[in-house]
Amino acid sequence: VQPVDVIDRFKHAVRERALLASPAPDALADIVRDPSRRWERRRRDADFLRLRVGRGPVDWHALTLPVDTNPVEPHDELLRGELAQLLRHYSVVHGMPVTLELDRVGDVSIVGPRTHTLAIARALFAQTVAFHAPDDVAIALVFPPERSADWAGLDVVGHVQDSDLYDGPVAVRRVAPTIPRLWALLAPWLKERSDAVAAEKRTGRRGAAERMS
């Protein structure tokens, strides 16, 4: 077995493991049906809110050429060029899931044609509810009534519902047509969370705020 064959097999294994951890959107239904994988990313996990946005080349090992330090017997330039090309090829794994780390990053915008950005936004939503428990991630949605068809059915997941507030017999959904309306809806929940964080700082007890994130 040639060394390059071993490297190719290893790169294939790396790609397969990455695709298993960050599957395509059409595979998320299987994740939800599997109790061992549904909501598998908890708040203290390294991959918490690590979400896939596509596939592409990802840097692997930083392979570099040795420095030519011998002026008497310099490296062969032809062989050095071929080696550099080989290192460029094997320092990248193609077809890898490209992911975003969305935990604690603040505002994130998706810019582009609406058909593309809507598909990405829905895929991010689907991954969030498939891999993260409602106790760890709360989601709120803002869209005008004329765009409701784009988000139909997304309010039924527990991540969008406030189990402490009810609108008649059903839990209140964190869904609003405008940002001011959403702010009014979220204000009590945000105040409760802020009070919990302040109480933790005073008492030194941890956990209450995390359960409400």
Side-chain angles (χ1 to χ4, degrees):
V1 179
Q2 297 296 319
V4 291
D5 294 332
V6 174
I7 296 176
D8 281 333
R9 292 178 186 177
F10 192 38
K11 288 175 66 175
H12 176 76
V14 168
R15 181 167 47 245
E16 291 303 306
R17 285 196 298 270
L19 291 173
L20 180 64
S22 299
D26 57 8
L28 293 175
D30 294 332
I31 299 294
V32 173
R33 285 192 291 264
D34 184 352
S36 67
R37 295 213 60 189
R38 183 175 61 245
W39 302 345
E40 67 180 4
R41 300 178 186 174
R42 304 311 301 240
R43 173 160 290 279
R44 288 186 170 86
D45 292 342
D47 58 356
F48 183 75
L49 283 179
R50 178 184 297 163
L51 304 180
R52 166 175 163 161
V53 293
R55 291 181 66 175
V58 173
D59 290 340
W60 191 25
H61 294 293
L63 304 175
T64 58
L65 287 172
V67 178
D68 190 354
T69 59
N70 188 342
V72 178
E73 297 182 5
H75 293 165
D76 184 286
E77 288 301 321
L78 179 61
L79 293 178
R80 188 175 178 84
E82 293 179 351
L83 180 57
Q85 184 177 0
L86 187 68
L87 294 183
R88 284 193 297 271
H89 175 74
Y90 286 106
S91 63
V92 173
V93 181
H94 294 272
M96 290 280 284
V98 178
T99 59
L100 296 177
E101 305 282 349
L102 295 184
D103 190 22
R104 306 175 188 272
V105 298
D107 295 335
V108 176
S109 299
I110 307 174
V111 181
R114 178 171 177 78
T115 54
H116 296 167
T117 58
L118 181 61
I120 293 174
R122 290 178 64 90
L124 294 175
F125 181 98
Q127 292 174 74
T128 302
V129 302
F131 286 115
H132 307 83
D135 290 343
D136 289 333
V137 178
I139 299 176
L141 302 172
V142 179
F143 52 83
E146 62 269 21
R147 297 294 188 184
S148 60
D150 293 335
W151 306 100
L154 301 189
D155 61 338
V156 302
V157 300
H159 306 70
V160 184
Q161 300 176 8
D162 189 334
S163 58
D164 295 326
L165 297 175
Y166 282 82
D167 182 8
V170 299
V172 168
R173 269 66 167 168
R174 300 186 189 94
V175 179
T178 64
I179 291 179
R181 290 277 297 275
L182 181 66
W183 173 252
L185 186 64
L186 294 180
W189 178 81
L190 292 173
K191 183 179 185 305
E192 185 180 358
R193 185 177 185 275
S194 177
D195 291 344
V197 172
E200 283 188 1
K201 290 182 178 179
R202 289 195 304 270
T203 63
R205 296 175 59 188
R206 300 182 58 185
E210 286 191 355
R211 289 193 295 271
M212 299 171 59
S213 299

